[in-house]
Amino acid sequence: MSSNNAVSLYLDPQIRDWVLFPITLVMILVGILRHYVMVLLQTPPKSLPRAALREQRALTRSQVLRATSANSPIPPTYYKSISRHLSEAFDAGTYLKDGPPKEGDTPKMPPNPMTDPAAMDGMMSGMKTQMVMMVPQMVIMGWINFFFQGFVLIKLPFPLTLGFKSMLQRGIETTDMDVRWVSSLSWYFLNFFGLNGLYRLILGGDNSADSSRDMTASPFGAQAQAPGQAQDYSKLFKAEKDNLEFSEGIYSWVGEGVEDRILRRYGKI
Amino acid sequence: MSTAAETAAQLIYPPNIKYNSALTSVKFLASCFAGAVAGILGLTNWTGFALFLVSTLFTSLCINVINCHGHPAKYIPGGWTGLLNPGTDNASTFVLVWTLFYGIVHVY
């Protein structure tokens, strides 16, 4: 353990002016740029024809109805009538995009993601997102490694183990220096993790400059786009009909027995 | 059968939840200032992290008294745990600002 607690390096203030602040500034600006590029690149969702839209909305309506069925704000007459109407419609296939299935029709294959143009758009936009996220980070790392290499930038106020020395002191060929003296690349990493809060403040909660979202979103983004398009609505409707019956079983109205509850609260019973 | 959690979730009013983002801003700014204080005072090692902890507790206390009037469960999803949570990424923000100010004041 080096006894260099009293001895400290004296660094040129110009390093502070020309390296510390510029790196932070560049990272903030690149983050904001990335967010706005993403906003511009978002293709507006393609508007579906009325029949296809009706299909999706019918499913959503029944899901909304089921979501609160155990504590439902809807009185029994209305709940039961909506539920029965939807059940019959799903059964007869009146909401299907291509009309109710005629007798003797072979069941249709769900559209293949590769050939269905709507699904391709979804996948492309997912991949575009990932590219836009990764490229600026690589570019900035390269820029920092090229220009700001070979000198000590800052002293970390907390200790780290020796294992970090190779990563954080890249380019400085000493074996003895305290791990707390680090090069510019480690300042890049500190900024990378620490600026997310700032982006959330400036750009609002749902910004695309957030590096913590890159970690969680990128592996799954590409897969999640494709399955959404290739669904067979007739099967979905059958499943939804069963769900509706189940929910009707557990349905109960919040206003059930409300007269007794009020009277009890005011002590009349 | 719906669980108590689902019933509780049904009673939450979404626009008010969105307004709670004001609290995340407060926590972020608190961690920034805590970082600045730690850096300027030259705190190192565990004393710096202790300051972060103290600042988190103090922020939660202020929010509790001024905004929640003593009942965090009524205003913040997650009750006490949601209140004491220093916010996502705020620890790294603290470290960043702490390092920055420590470097500016004590190293340069």
Side-chain angles (χ1 to χ4, degrees):
Chain A
M1 183 63 206
S2 85
S3 58
N4 284 349
N5 283 335
V7 178
S8 61
L9 298 180
Y10 183 64
L11 297 176
D12 190 351
Q14 291 198 348
I15 302 184
R16 175 195 62 199
D17 296 338
W18 292 100
V19 181
L20 204 65
F21 294 144
I23 293 184
T24 308
L25 198 63
V26 164
M27 288 186 73
I28 296 180
L29 291 176
V30 166
I32 298 181
L33 182 72
R34 201 159 62 140
H35 170 72
Y36 284 116
V37 164
M38 279 303 302
V39 167
L40 290 174
L41 275 184
Q42 300 278 10
T43 50
K46 290 179 57 160
S47 55
L48 296 169
R50 184 174 174 272
L53 206 63
R54 192 177 64 159
E55 203 173 50
Q56 287 180 355
R57 293 285 178 264
L59 209 58
T60 318
R61 263 203 300 168
S62 110
Q63 280 168 355
V64 165
L65 189 69
R66 282 191 301 117
T68 56
S69 82
N71 247 320
S72 182
I74 314 176
T77 33
Y78 297 111
Y79 181 91
K80 290 205 178 1
S81 82
I82 298 179
S83 173
R84 301 249 168 83
H85 166 75
L86 282 174
S87 276
E88 283 162 16
F90 288 154
D91 216 6
T94 39
Y95 285 131
L96 283 175
K97 185 162 51 177
D98 302 316
K102 307 176 205 0
E103 289 303 315
D105 248 3
T106 55
K108 300 184 52 163
M109 299 304 297
N112 191 330
M114 288 300 159
T115 57
D116 186 21
M120 279 303 280
D121 283 343
M123 286 206 295
M124 288 309 293
S125 79
M127 286 200 277
K128 267 192 282 190
T129 322
Q130 289 185 11
M131 285 305 297
V132 173
M133 293 305 186
M134 284 294 104
V135 164
Q137 304 300 339
M138 300 289 116
V139 167
I140 296 186
M141 276 228 285
W143 173 69
I144 290 184
N145 267 330
F146 181 68
F147 283 108
F148 301 124
Q149 204 183 31
F151 56 89
V152 162
L153 180 65
I154 201 172
K155 179 177 180 194
L156 296 179
F158 49 89
L160 287 173
T161 59
L162 281 179
F164 284 98
K165 209 171 156 52
S166 64
M167 180 169 78
L168 300 179
Q169 282 182 358
R170 181 149 304 180
I172 309 167
E173 315 300 341
T174 61
T175 47
D176 234 356
M177 193 165 58
D178 206 347
V179 188
R180 295 163 66 160
W181 295 98
V182 291
S183 70
S184 353
L185 197 63
S186 77
W187 181 239
Y188 166 78
F189 283 126
L190 275 178
N191 273 304
F192 184 73
F193 291 116
L195 285 176
N196 294 333
L198 187 68
Y199 293 143
R200 214 168 338 122
L201 196 64
I202 307 180
L203 300 172
D206 202 13
N207 66 78
S208 324
D210 210 337
S211 65
S212 63
R213 279 163 205 266
D214 288 350
M215 317 290 192
T216 53
S218 50
F220 304 109
Q223 284 98 32
Q225 304 290 342
Q229 313 295 334
Q231 282 165 343
D232 190 7
Y233 272 97
S234 47
K235 292 207 189 68
L236 282 179
F237 280 173
K238 298 278 184 292
E240 196 61 30
K241 177 170 180 300
D242 291 334
N243 287 338
L244 272 176
E245 284 178 14
F246 179 67
S247 295
E248 208 170 321
I250 63 176
Y251 165 75
S252 87
W253 185 34
V254 273
E256 195 83 39
V258 66
E259 303 95 345
D260 291 333
R261 275 189 268 150
I262 291 187
L263 288 176
R264 199 164 292 132
R265 182 190 281 227
Y266 290 104
K268 298 297 182 196
I269 286 193
Chain B
M1 289 291 113
S2 82
T3 61
E6 284 170 19
T7 325
Q10 203 183 320
L11 293 173
I12 293 181
Y13 185 55
N16 283 348
I17 294 270
K18 283 187 65 171
Y19 192 73
N20 272 357
S21 63
L23 282 183
T24 32
S25 314
V26 166
K27 289 185 182 170
F28 169 72
L29 289 173
S31 69
C32 278
F33 282 117
V37 166
I40 293 176
L41 289 179
L43 301 178
T44 57
N45 301 346
W46 67 271
T47 45
F49 291 113
L51 181 75
F52 179 59
L53 212 59
V54 166
S55 101
T56 311
L57 287 174
F58 182 61
T59 314
S60 314
L61 199 66
C62 289
I63 296 178
N64 186 17
V65 169
I66 300 175
N67 293 63
C68 303
H69 310 292
H71 291 120
K74 273 175 39 173
Y75 293 89
I76 301 179
W80 272 106
T81 357
L83 183 65
L84 287 173
N85 181 10
T88 55
D89 293 326
N90 282 349
S92 13
T93 306
F94 170 78
V95 167
L96 173 68
V97 179
W98 181 21
T99 310
L100 179 69
F101 277 89
Y102 182 80
I104 293 179
V105 172
H106 291 274
V107 173
Y108 281 104

